[in-house]
Amino acid sequence: MNSVEYSKPNSKSVKSKFSMIRLLNILKNILTNPLHLISIIAFIFLCYTIVIPLWEIISHTLTWQPEDARVARGVVPGEFTLYHWWHVLVSDISQSIFYKPLLNSFNIAVAVSFMSMILGGALAWLVTRTDIPFKKSIAFMAIIPYMLPSWIKSFAWLVVFKNDRIGGSQGMLQYLFHINPPDWISYGFFPITMNLTAHYYTFFYLLIAVALSSINSSLEEMADILGASRLTILRKITFPLVLPAILSAFILTFSKTMGTFGVAAFLGLPVKYYTIATMLYGSMKNRLISDAYVLSLILIIISSVTIYINQRAIGRRKSYATIGGKDSRKTLTPLGKWKVPAIAGVMLFMISAGVFPLLLLLWQSFMLHDGDYSLGNLTTHFWVGDSDFNINSGEVGVLKNDGIFMGFKNSLRIALIAAVSASVIGLILGYVISKARKTLSGKVVEQLSFLPYLIPGISFSAIYLSMFAKPQLLIPALYGTLTIVILITIVKELPFATRSGTSTMFQISGELEEAAKIQGASWFHRFRKIMLPLSRKGLFSSFLLLFISAMKELDLIVLLVTPNTGTLTTLTFRYAEKGYQQYADAIIILIIAIIMITYFLATKIGKADLSKGIGG
């Protein structure tokens, strides 16, 4: 009996010791396996920069805040409440601060998405499926709007259609033809929709062009032989095959338009035409923080729902196969007598959407007085002039302005650091996803890296303002520093950078890394000597897209910058707010020059091709 009793604790002790050894071996395997270690670091980084900030803003809207004491009695900061949601959704002012701006945003997003689909789809069909000439020129001009900030066209629009009833000075149309445009043409829904359409049609063009290029024209030829009309072929064959691309572009355009700020601010605020994004910005500026966070979460929910609908719609059509083992012939549709009108119409549209706005802004940057478009009114003061208190409160020319030079340095520093960092981080996350794509860690990293795409820029800015306005764990308060602007830019660009890195890593055979591993090379050595050189072209393309996106960014950083951390885009916004339009136009020309020079260098040195990929 005693021997039996003595053996029981001994058995448990052995089992416990075995379990401990097994646990230690598992931990040792995790900590010594580079893939597991990188996955853990990536998970911590993504949680800290994305998940925790999102939770911060959610908890802020569900608890009483110290400033709420002025609107309610017996407020205990930190206690649970639904007051902020009630105030935005069902209070007496909900109509003006939420429902009307939401309806405005929705109307703009739907109109822009449909108009962009028609323009981008028609252009993609002409380039890929017809014998229209100058295809390479058209393809390059089609991506120019992506390289320009969406809101610069609003400045060009006002140059032409401004009226003296609201703007205080006449536009070119009124000056040349004595036609005073009505307010609905100068400001509000119509100009916002037109300007955003001229920017976002690029998404439809790129995505639909790729889909059309993959379709074997023999499918359409067979239908033609069987007697089907062109309309029937388009409806029954071509349209179903490109529908996933159309849906993706539609959802991409819709979600981005819902959260856009710059165009809506410049063309809507002068007539008090508010959208969700401009209302969010106004709430933050008026220190209605909780209202702003509720609006941010609503924007995030809308983006998430649109992405979910897109995935469900595309998921039902994954069985369509357009690339097979046989030669995929492309029989181009002859335009015949319509060739000349088609190329003339396309070129006119391209010039109107990309080139003409820049020429207008360049011209206005030399105008001494607004509304006078004569040659005698031209001056170089706004570029190289000295201080004159009779002109814009004594501001010196752009090329002599210390504040603008500081903004130039800040913009370059942010864009370079963020683009390089996001490209490398995206490549590393792509390595994790490609090597562990069937594991839980790979799937979690992939989903978390996509999360910033669901968050509109100005909402993301509000989240980071909340989180980093005070010290967090071992990180000091970052508000007022370039670090927070660089960090939010990196995180916001991770969805594209990660997908670019994943695509690149899938193209690199695992045999190369295995051979180096057998020879005793460390993971860092393998990554530096094998992965990076083979990923060179993908990295350059990723860097180019991220640099352009960072250089033209306004929505994402407008709430975070201070006088010492201002960028060229935020300086443009401040000058436009003050009515110093010539300075704003001159800064825009500088931004475009930097982007074009960078694009030229990246295409020559890194062989990057913007027409083969697009981000943010």
Side-chain angles (χ1 to χ4, degrees):
M1 183 70 179
N2 291 337
S3 62
V4 173
E5 291 178 354
Y6 179 79
S7 65
K8 286 184 179 179
N10 187 48
S11 176
K12 290 181 179 180
S13 176
V14 171
K15 185 181 290 187
S16 175
K17 186 176 181 180
F18 177 77
S19 299
M20 182 63 66
I21 293 174
R22 185 181 179 187
L23 179 61
L24 290 175
N25 288 334
I26 292 174
L27 290 176
K28 182 180 179 181
N29 181 51
I30 291 175
L31 295 177
T32 56
N33 188 322
L35 183 60
H36 293 159
L37 192 58
I38 295 170
S39 298
I40 292 172
I41 295 174
F43 178 77
I44 295 172
F45 173 76
L46 293 172
C47 283
Y48 190 79
T49 57
I50 301 172
V51 178
I52 293 178
L54 190 57
W55 171 248
E56 284 276 328
I57 195 173
I58 293 172
S59 62
H60 193 287
T61 64
L62 296 174
T63 55
W64 288 112
Q65 303 300 318
E67 60 268 20
D68 293 330
R70 60 186 179 182
V71 296
R73 294 181 179 179
V75 168
V76 179
E79 283 193 352
F80 175 80
T81 180
L82 293 175
Y83 170 80
H84 304 123
W85 287 88
W86 171 86
H87 184 252
V88 171
L89 298 178
V90 296
S91 70
D92 295 337
I93 62 172
S94 296
Q95 186 68 26
S96 58
I97 69 172
F98 174 63
Y99 290 105
K100 192 172 181 179
L102 177 64
L103 182 62
N104 291 339
S105 296
F106 182 81
N107 290 337
I108 291 170
V110 171
V112 169
S113 298
F114 275 107
M115 292 175 64
S116 298
M117 178 178 65
I118 294 170
L119 290 173
L123 184 62
W125 182 79
L126 285 171
V127 171
T128 60
R129 310 296 285 182
T130 72
D131 61 347
I132 192 170
F134 310 116
K135 291 188 177 184
K136 289 186 177 180
S137 298
I138 294 173
F140 173 73
M141 294 181 69
I143 63 173
I144 288 180
Y146 175 78
M147 293 190 285
L148 309 179
S150 61
W151 41 269
I152 73 162
K153 295 182 184 67
S154 61
F155 289 175
W157 182 274
L158 291 177
V159 171
V160 179
F161 296 107
K162 180 193 263 186
N163 62 48
D164 54 12
R165 290 189 301 275
I166 296 177
S169 61
Q170 59 187 346
M172 186 177 290
L173 189 65
Q174 186 175 359
Y175 176 82
L176 294 176
F177 303 104
H178 305 290
I179 299 174
N180 198 358
D183 293 347
W184 67 270
I185 288 182
S186 301
Y187 298 95
F189 170 81
F190 179 74
I192 293 173
T193 300
M194 296 301 292
N195 279 270
L196 289 175
T197 299
H199 181 76
Y200 286 122
Y201 83 88
T202 304
F203 293 154
F204 282 92
Y205 165 74
L206 289 175
L207 291 173
I208 295 176
V210 171
L212 286 173
S213 298
S214 68
I215 299 175
N216 191 329
S217 58
S218 62
L219 299 171
E220 298 163 318
E221 290 174 7
M222 185 62 67
D224 186 49
I225 292 172
L226 293 174
S229 65
R230 295 301 303 173
L231 182 61
T232 301
I233 294 172
L234 183 66
R235 182 169 57 88
K236 293 289 189 179
I237 297 177
T238 309
F239 184 74
L241 290 174
V242 300
L243 186 57
I246 293 174
L247 289 173
S248 294
F250 191 95
I251 296 301
L252 175 66
T253 302
F254 181 88
S255 59
K256 282 186 170 293
T257 305
M258 280 294 295
T260 193
F261 169 74
V263 177
F266 293 125
L267 296 177
L269 293 183
V271 292
K272 294 181 170 47
Y273 184 88
Y274 296 103
T275 63
I276 285 289
T278 56
M279 184 58 67
L280 192 158
Y281 174 78
S283 297
M284 292 297 297
K285 284 298 182 182
N286 293 324
R287 303 196 64 76
L288 301 173
I289 309 298
S290 298
D291 288 1
Y293 289 162
V294 171
L295 294 175
S296 297
L297 290 175
I298 291 171
L299 273 179
I300 293 170
I301 292 170
I302 292 172
S303 297
S304 302
V305 170
T306 55
I307 296 297
Y308 174 76
I309 293 173
N310 178 55
Q311 295 301 320
R312 292 281 295 179
I314 292 178
R316 297 192 184 101
R317 299 181 179 270
K318 288 182 179 178
S319 60
Y320 286 118
T322 61
I323 301 176
K326 297 181 180 180
D327 179 33
S328 180
R329 296 184 299 109
K330 300 293 184 298
T331 301
L332 301 179
T333 302
L335 293 176
K337 64 179 181 179
W338 293 102
K339 182 178 291 187
V340 173
I343 190 63
V346 168
M347 286 301 179
L348 180 62
F349 171 71
M350 294 294 186
I351 292 172
S352 300
V355 180
F356 187 60
L358 294 182
L359 296 178
L360 284 178
L361 297 182
L362 181 62
W363 180 278
Q364 191 178 43
S365 70
F366 289 99
M367 289 170 49
L368 181 60
H369 301 293
D370 288 338
D372 183 356
Y373 296 89
S374 64
L375 294 176
N377 187 47
L378 299 182
T379 178
T380 59
H381 172 81
F382 300 103
W383 285 93
V384 295
D386 296 321
S387 178
D388 184 347
F389 280 93
N390 294 318
I391 303 176
N392 291 352
S393 302
E395 287 276 350
V396 299
V398 167
L399 299 181
K400 292 184 175 181
N401 194 308
D402 292 337
I404 294 175
F405 182 67
M406 181 178 66
F408 169 78
K409 291 194 299 182
N410 289 342
S411 292
L412 273 184
R413 192 178 306 170
I414 292 167
L416 286 171
I417 296 175
V420 171
S421 301
S423 297
V424 175
I425 293 173
L427 192 66
I428 294 173
L429 295 180
Y431 175 85
V432 172
I433 294 169
S434 63
K435 299 298 181 183
R437 58 184 180 275
K438 295 182 180 179
T439 65
L440 179 62
S441 61
K443 293 178 181 178
V444 169
V445 169
E446 184 176 17
Q447 294 301 318
L448 288 180
S449 67
F450 183 73
L451 193 57
Y453 180 80
L454 302 178
I455 308 174
I458 198 162
S459 299
F460 212 29
S461 181
I463 293 172
Y464 268 53
L465 184 62
S466 168
M467 181 174 179
F468 293 107
K470 55 186 183 296
Q472 291 282 342
L473 299 178
L474 301 177
I475 299 179
L478 297 180
Y479 178 69
T481 68
L482 277 182
T483 303
I484 189 173
V485 182
I486 294 172
L487 178 62
I488 195 173
T489 304
I490 292 172
V491 176
K492 184 62 177 175
E493 300 300 340
L494 276 183
F496 170 77
T498 302
R499 270 140 192 81
S500 175
T502 303
S503 176
T504 300
M505 284 299 173
F506 273 131
Q507 298 175 30
I508 301 175
S509 174
E511 298 172 355
L512 300 173
E513 187 182 9
E514 287 296 327
K517 188 176 181 181
I518 292 173
Q519 296 297 319
S522 65
W523 179 86
F524 180 78
H525 189 77
R526 299 196 304 268
F527 190 83
R528 184 168 59 89
K529 291 294 187 178
I530 298 175
M531 302 300 178
L532 283 180
L534 294 176
S535 306
R536 179 173 173 270
K537 187 174 181 180
L539 274 175
F540 265 100
S541 296
S542 177
F543 166 81
L544 176 60
L545 286 168
L546 300 182
F547 180 88
I548 291 174
S549 182
M551 277 299 301
K552 65 182 186 178
E553 187 60 67
L554 176 64
D555 302 17
L556 184 67
I557 62 176
V558 67
L559 294 176
L560 299 176
V561 298
T562 63
N564 292 327
T565 60
T567 65
L568 291 178
T569 54
T570 58
L571 286 174
T572 302
F573 182 69
R574 305 302 180 207
Y575 278 121
E577 277 190 321
K578 293 179 181 179
Y580 299 170
Q581 196 60 50
Q582 290 90 336
Y583 285 103
D585 294 339
I587 297 173
I588 286 175
I589 300 301
L590 289 179
I591 295 173
I592 301 307
I594 295 170
I595 290 175
M596 290 299 182
I597 291 171
T598 305
Y599 178 80
F600 175 79
L601 293 176
T603 53
K604 292 298 181 183
I605 299 173
K607 307 299 180 183
D609 189 355
L610 187 59
S611 64
K612 293 182 180 178
I614 196 163

